[in-house]
Amino acid sequence: METLIHNLKLSWHSIQRAPLPYALTLLILSLGLGTFFSNATLYYWMNRDPIPEKSQTLFMARLNSLPGDCTDCFEPPRVISYMDVQKMSGSGITSAEAAMFSSNAYAKTLENQQATPSQVELRVTQRDFFKLFNVPFLQGETWPDNKARMEVVISKNTAIKFFSRTDVVGQDMLLDDKLYKVIGVLDDWSMLPRLYDVNGRRSAEPAEDIYIPLETAYDLAIQSNTQNSFTDVDWDGNMATYPQMARTNFANMLQFWVQLDSPEKVQQYQQFLKNLVQDEKAAGRHPRPEGNKLDNILDIQKAMRATNDQLDAFALVASLFLLVCVVNASHLSLNRYMANQYEFSLRRALGASRWQLQSQIMADVLLSSVLAFAAALVFAQLGLWTINSLLPGTRALASWDWQMLGVMALFVVLVSYLVTLYPALKTSFSPLNQQLKQ
Amino acid sequence: MIKINNLSKIFRTDLIETHALRQINLQVNEGEFAALTGPSGSGKSTLLNVLGTLESFDQGDYLLDGRSVKGLSDRELSALRNEKIGFIFQGFNLIKDFSLFDNIELPLRYRGFSSTERKRRVEQALETVGLAARRDYHPSQLSGGQQQRVAIARAIAGEPRILLADEPTGNLDSLMARQVMELLEKINQQGCTILMVTHDPDQARRANRHIQIVDGQLNDSSMYEPLAAGA
Ligand SMILES: Nc1ncnc2c1ncn2[C@@H]1O[C@H](COP(=O)(O)OP(=O)(O)OP(=O)(O)O)[C@@H](O)[C@H]1O
Ligand SMILES: [Mg+2]
């Protein structure tokens, strides 16, 4: 311990001896690390399992039921129709199931009707949504069934924003001038990446503010703000007929999620879908080939072709940049060590073993690591800020948890060691007498 | 104390081989104060470096305290340098941004002494070289002679068996050189064997043994010069 402190003091001395080259080395190193970290952060958040306790049981189901004879259309659409959902629901095989889409509205409270309404993000969904994704309730609970009702579940932040408190079950809210009653308030919750909504690469956005029942949305002609695909729809645009039209046509806007608790259940549900298609075909519907999809939540980005290639490209560039920085920093650090070679030789002459020199070098590494880590975090924040403004969809990914910080710190030590390794070996193995001869 | 047999050292560069030491035989006994002289380039520093294990050799044997240094590991060699040998360089080789205390303490740290033991030894060494009052000075605040005394203090703080000094007064004026010589004589009287390279015939005469080296070979006549016991 005493030796470590002494060695750290020596490291500090040697920095003071030539602060500028050292600062430059540190700058280059932390710039590379910072860039790398900002990308690694995004990459980590985008590619992690957001719900490891049950990701194996969550699946998105799709049918290839669009009209029009097309023998080589094997891939079902990204969003499905209300009719599809009706048929796929109630199988008795799933332990939870919910159809959903995203939308938005202007909201205000009844108490504060004069206020300018503020825009809120809506998740239009069904009773089981919260069960599917383990969404915690602070107050109240989900709807008792999937029927239309003017009732909403709101996030904790939304409650605080509109009511300045969280015990607001029973309160009224106006969404686009329609009156709803709050029946539940969620606890703090986020799902990153938000894999239940990867369509349109929106999986990195924060969770929605307000949840409203699917049937209500159909009744009120609330549509998806992500994707509405109308196929062979003959509609005069009369809003009065929208609910009927949207429920009976290929007005596709839904994503349908099911929970299947075991491989047998998955098998059964697949069979169920297969039978469904057969029945449909027998009834003269479902003209396209069978193309049922039951994609696990962890495969969903790939299945929906919603992987973020930009992020991958950034990550590659950042890694290369880090490499260049490490090489440069190593070069600078070699110069620094060469300038101090005399002192290393002197220490050897005074009886320091190579190992004792190494422990001095490790103190250098430690000190550099601490400084580089701090600087790298600053650069990483800058990097994240830049990427977030270039790719607004990544805003929710800009934070670190302790585990990440730990891994990053370890990485910094490793890289700092790498940067010092060659110079260190070179200095401790160079012939002794030459330097001391003056 | 020191015994070398048929020791040769060849420096090889791309173009030339320099035979710096040619089949040297030498024995230095416990308590001797030996002066090593010879023309420039004759191999004095090389011999000293080999004796101090700062330099390897190509042929022959080197026994220090009865033990061959050939084939010792880095750790063993470092310990040897640290414990048995004190080195004094012509250019002092002090670390500039260390205080005198820290400079002298450095080799003691490698030895693993406790901080109280280090303090005791450093203070004693500073006392011996007469710089006790300046323990917190930095080398740049001292004269050349004082700096060399610090270097001597550093060399003797570990109580080595042998002190190897390469032109310790080469950079000093005659007054300071005399002070340093007196210091070395004092240290020798306390029982430390000294081998000193010098260009100064007076100094060589003051030593109780005079070894000459020419072109990498020891002058035979000096080798068997009878040892004068005491000064
Ligand atoms: N590292 C080296 N590489 C190549 N040749 C060397 C090296 N060190 C010394 N020599 C050569 O070995 C010979 C002896 O050198 P050494 O330094 O021992 O001489 P010296 O007697 O100490 O001279 P001086 O009195 O000038 O200090 C010289 O010819 C020198 O050029
Ligand atoms: Mg010399």
Side-chain angles (χ1 to χ4, degrees):
Chain A
M1 192 62 206
E2 204 241 330
T3 312
L4 179 68
I5 292 171
H6 174 74
N7 283 341
L8 283 173
K9 227 168 73 189
L10 294 190
S11 302
W12 183 242
H13 265 305
S14 88
I15 293 172
Q16 282 178 322
R17 213 170 293 158
L20 233 61
Y22 186 76
L24 193 63
T25 315
L26 211 63
L27 181 76
I28 289 177
L29 195 61
S30 46
L31 205 64
L33 284 167
T35 315
F36 184 74
F37 284 164
S38 54
N39 280 277
T41 306
L42 295 176
Y43 205 80
Y44 166 78
W45 284 117
M46 280 309 280
N47 291 296
R48 77 197 262 272
D49 181 349
I51 182 163
E53 64 277 16
K54 63 186 298 192
S55 52
Q56 287 316 311
T57 66
L58 295 174
F59 296 86
M60 192 176 95
R62 288 181 288 164
L63 292 181
N64 195 17
S65 62
L66 283 183
D69 209 350
C70 171
T71 44
D72 49 358
C73 297
F74 297 101
E75 175 94 353
R78 292 153 176 273
V79 281
I80 58 175
S81 69
Y82 183 88
M83 300 181 295
D84 293 335
V85 168
Q86 290 301 100
K87 287 168 199 152
M88 290 192 284
S89 301
S91 63
I93 302 164
T94 68
S95 44
E97 56 189 29
M100 61 195 78
F101 63 80
S102 66
S103 188
N104 48 271
Y106 284 91
K108 57 184 172 182
T109 58
L110 207 53
E111 306 158 11
N112 201 358
Q113 282 203 58
Q114 306 313 321
T116 37
S118 36
Q119 194 177 355
V120 290
E121 299 297 319
L122 298 184
R123 175 119 308 240
V124 172
T125 187
Q126 296 177 306
R127 185 194 57 184
D128 284 351
F129 176 87
F130 309 99
K131 183 180 175 199
L132 273 173
F133 303 111
N134 283 351
V135 191
F137 275 82
L138 196 63
Q139 307 269 328
E141 55 185 3
T142 184
W143 309 287
D145 53 41
N146 283 338
K147 296 208 175 95
R149 35 169 48 92
M150 300 303 279
E151 293 172 351
V152 293
V153 172
I154 66 178
S155 73
K156 184 175 170 184
N157 284 341
T158 309
I160 290 168
K161 181 176 170 191
F162 285 93
F163 299 98
S164 313
R165 59 200 164 90
T166 56
D167 56 334
V168 294
V169 168
Q171 297 292 315
D172 293 314
M173 274 193 96
L174 285 167
L175 293 181
D176 287 341
D177 294 324
K178 294 281 192 307
L179 191 63
Y180 295 81
K181 189 179 287 301
V182 176
I183 61 150
V185 178
L186 300 181
D187 204 347
D188 288 320
W189 176 70
S190 69
M191 183 162 156
L192 271 178
R194 215 173 41 129
L195 291 180
Y196 60 78
D197 195 13
V198 299
N199 201 9
R201 295 198 175 85
R202 301 185 50 187
S203 52
E205 289 177 15
E208 281 90 357
D209 308 311
I210 296 182
Y211 300 78
I212 79 170
L214 187 78
E215 297 297 340
T216 310
Y218 272 86
D219 288 347
L220 298 177
I222 297 171
Q223 295 184 31
S224 165
N225 63 358
T226 308
Q227 186 178 1
N228 292 285
S229 305
F230 286 20
T231 310
D232 286 358
V233 176
D234 185 20
W235 182 45
D236 55 8
N238 179 359
M239 274 304 165
T241 60
Y242 175 90
Q244 171 68 11
M245 178 283 295
R247 284 180 171 112
T248 54
N249 276 283
F250 289 100
N252 290 22
M253 64 182 87
L254 291 166
Q255 299 181 20
F256 185 58
W257 284 91
V258 296
Q259 177 178 342
L260 297 164
D261 288 329
S262 64
E264 294 78 55
K265 295 273 182 193
V266 175
Q267 195 86 54
Q268 284 174 30
Y269 196 70
Q270 254 154 357
Q271 189 58 48
F272 166 78
L273 293 180
K274 216 172 233 165
N275 297 343
L276 189 91
V277 172
Q278 264 161 25
D279 292 351
E280 285 293 293
K281 282 188 180 295
R285 295 186 291 265
H286 205 300
R288 297 188 175 188
E290 187 213 293
N292 303 336
K293 288 267 182 190
L294 194 60
D295 293 306
N296 182 263
I297 192 164
L298 296 182
D299 306 324
I300 198 68
Q301 303 199 66
K302 210 173 243 164
M304 297 280 278
R305 296 197 195 85
T307 49
N308 205 326
D309 301 336
Q310 278 169 310
L311 222 53
D312 290 355
F314 269 149
L316 185 70
V317 171
S319 309
L320 289 177
F321 183 61
L322 176 64
L323 198 70
V324 172
C325 287
V326 166
V327 170
N328 270 300
S330 184
H331 188 77
L332 281 173
S333 127
L334 179 62
N335 287 344
R336 222 166 67 79
Y337 273 90
M338 285 296 133
N340 285 339
Q341 169 78 67
Y342 154 78
E343 199 181 311
F344 278 96
S345 299
L346 176 59
R347 285 160 189 278
R348 299 263 294 132
L350 294 178
S353 65
R354 291 202 176 100
W355 170 246
Q356 280 166 325
L357 283 193
Q358 284 302 312
S359 74
Q360 173 61 53
I361 286 159
M362 286 318 287
D364 286 356
V365 169
L366 197 67
L367 194 64
S368 302
S369 299
V370 171
L371 297 173
F373 186 47
L377 286 188
V378 173
F379 284 124
Q381 273 300 340
L382 280 174
L384 280 173
W385 182 78
T386 311
I387 296 173
N388 289 162
S389 47
L390 289 176
L391 305 175
T394 63
R395 260 170 305 144
L397 310 181
S399 63
W400 295 310
D401 53 27
W402 287 111
Q403 200 183 331
M404 285 179 76
L405 283 171
V407 172
M408 290 191 322
L410 220 72
F411 191 75
V412 172
V413 174
L414 210 77
V415 169
S416 306
Y417 185 63
L418 214 68
V419 164
T420 345
L421 187 63
Y422 176 64
L425 289 179
K426 204 167 150 81
T427 23
S428 20
F429 281 88
S430 77
L432 277 182
N433 68 325
Q434 281 166 14
Q435 295 290 324
L436 299 172
K437 266 191 185 167
Q438 55 154 331
Chain B
M1 182 78 239
I2 282 178
K3 194 166 184 200
I4 55 181
N5 295 320
N6 280 323
L7 187 139
S8 295
K9 170 74 187 175
I10 303 166
F11 288 111
R12 290 189 179 82
T13 56
D14 291 342
L15 293 175
I16 43 165
E17 285 190 351
T18 311
H19 292 258
L21 300 173
R22 299 166 197 259
Q23 309 211 314
I24 286 195
N25 290 296
L26 173 68
Q27 182 164 350
V28 179
N29 296 314
E30 187 103 44
E32 274 188 316
F33 189 157
L36 181 64
T37 61
S40 185
S42 55
K44 303 183 293 295
S45 296
T46 305
L47 178 57
L48 220 60
N49 285 334
V50 167
L51 293 178
T53 74
L54 301 184
E55 189 93 76
S56 62
F57 50 91
D58 298 285
Q59 279 164 29
D61 269 331
Y62 170 21
L63 300 168
L64 179 65
D65 236 0
R67 190 164 170 222
S68 174
V69 304
K70 244 194 208 157
L72 290 187
S73 69
D74 172 66
R75 187 185 289 258
E76 290 165 321
L77 276 179
S78 312
L80 202 72
R81 280 198 287 272
N82 189 280
E83 291 167 29
K84 297 223 165 125
I85 302 170
F87 226 105
I88 301 168
F89 310 89
Q90 178 172 358
F92 318 147
N93 283 340
L94 298 172
I95 297 178
K96 288 182 199 58
D97 42 15
F98 274 24
S99 68
L100 303 195
F101 188 95
D102 290 342
N103 263 293
I104 298 168
E105 191 192 27
L106 197 60
L108 303 178
R109 279 184 177 275
Y110 297 134
R111 191 120 151 226
F113 283 137
S114 73
S115 69
T116 40
E117 175 67 8
R118 293 201 301 265
K119 189 160 179 282
R120 189 186 69 74
R121 282 173 177 251
V122 172
E123 278 167 358
Q124 197 188 331
L126 275 168
E127 196 72 51
T128 309
V129 302
L131 289 169
R134 315 223 164 157
R135 48 169 279 173
D136 294 324
Y137 279 44
H138 281 71
S140 60
Q141 296 167 302
L142 301 180
S143 72
Q146 287 168 329
Q147 288 189 42
Q148 191 58 296
R149 272 145 63 193
V150 176
I152 292 170
R154 180 178 61 191
I156 61 169
E159 293 172 1
R161 304 285 306 282
I162 182 158
L163 210 55
L164 301 171
D166 195 352
E167 300 188 46
T169 61
N171 280 344
L172 305 177
D173 66 31
S174 55
L175 179 68
M176 287 185 178
R178 182 140 24 91
Q179 287 175 353
V180 166
M181 268 308 283
E182 281 163 7
L183 181 57
L184 289 177
E185 280 164 1
K186 185 168 112 189
I187 292 165
N188 176 239
Q189 274 153 23
Q190 286 166 1
C192 183
T193 311
I194 297 181
L195 181 61
M196 177 183 75
V197 172
T198 181
H199 273 128
D200 185 338
D202 282 343
Q203 283 181 11
R205 231 169 287 126
R206 284 173 72 156
N208 53 28
R209 183 171 170 198
H210 184 183
I211 304 163
Q212 282 176 298
I213 181 169
V214 178
D215 202 12
Q217 285 177 306
L218 294 190
N219 187 326
D220 279 355
S221 69
S222 72
M223 264 191 70
Y224 302 112
E225 210 171 76
L227 300 179

